[in-house]
Amino acid sequence: MKKVNACITWILILLFYSHLLVMSYSLATGWYDYNICKTLARATGVVISIHAILSIIVVLFMHDGVKIGYYAKRNTKTIIQRATAIIILIFVHLHVKAFRFIVQGTHLSTADKIFILVTEFIFFGANFLHLSVSFSKSLITMGLLRSDEKEKLINKIVLAINVVLMCVATISLTLFIIKWK
């Protein structure tokens, strides 16, 4: 089950990055293709749901191959992974709602705009942090990564990519919200 979830993770990463780049471009340029944007968003949502269900099954029912209570003692990465997963699940509804307002061109007050920015930044940060601490774990699960040195290198590369993409997403959204009338 963990290996299936690792494969689902790679599909999710591809969809996540695609969705992020298309939407960032849309927000930055004003270009919007409903079919492309919605197809990527819906596909990402479906794969997130599958990943979340499989993760819950592995962690709660299969105990992720370890004893209950082990995670509290294990390491910071696992705690961050679990906490960001919960934040993502809580904030995904607000994310969908925010972009529904954007697509519909809804008039929002300054307070509404600030609320959207704050909740989106939390959502973006949780996604990028979750991916940053989880990617190397998926490689380990699949048996593709066996060296601590390579794991550290992969973690640094993934974190660097995610920092750049987080900046792209937050700048695009911020500029769009500032211009939004």
Side-chain angles (χ1 to χ4, degrees), residues 137-162:
K137 286 184 171 191
S138 72
L139 295 174
I140 292 167
T141 297
M142 295 303 290
L144 300 173
L145 187 59
R146 294 193 176 119
S147 159
D148 287 343
E149 292 171 10
K150 288 182 182 176
E151 180 184 358
K152 288 177 184 176
L153 178 62
I154 296 269
N155 287 338
K156 287 178 183 178
I157 291 168
V158 171
L159 181 61
I161 290 168
N162 285 333

Side-chain angles (χ1 to χ4, degrees), residues 94 98 101 106-120 177 180:
L94 295 172
F101 289 144
T106 305
H107 176 74
L108 298 175
S109 68
T110 301
D112 292 333
K113 292 177 183 180
I114 291 170
F115 179 78
I116 286 174
L117 284 173
V118 169
T119 59
E120 286 299 293
I177 295 288
W180 194 352

Side-chain angles (χ1 to χ4, degrees), residues 6 8 18 23 33 41 59 61 69 72 76 79 81 87 93 96 100 106 108-109 111 121 123 131 133 153 164 177:
I8 295 293
S18 298
M23 290 309 298
D33 183 303
V59 170
F61 300 109
T76 306
I79 294 167
Q81 184 182 34
I87 292 168
H93 171 71
V96 171
R100 188 175 305 133
T106 305
L108 298 175
S109 68
F121 293 164
F123 182 69
L131 198 151
V133 299
L153 178 62
V164 169
I177 295 288

Side-chain angles (χ1 to χ4, degrees), residues 51-70:
H51 175 65
I53 291 166
L54 290 174
S55 296
I56 289 168
I57 290 169
V58 167
V59 170
L60 296 180
F61 300 109
M62 300 173 75
H63 308 299
D64 200 14
V66 296
K67 298 178 200 170
I68 296 174
Y70 179 69

Side-chain angles (χ1 to χ4, degrees), residues 38-54:
K38 282 315 231 182
T39 299
L40 279 172
R42 288 179 179 140
T44 304
V46 167
V47 177
I48 284 172
S49 299
I50 294 167
H51 175 65
I53 291 166
L54 290 174

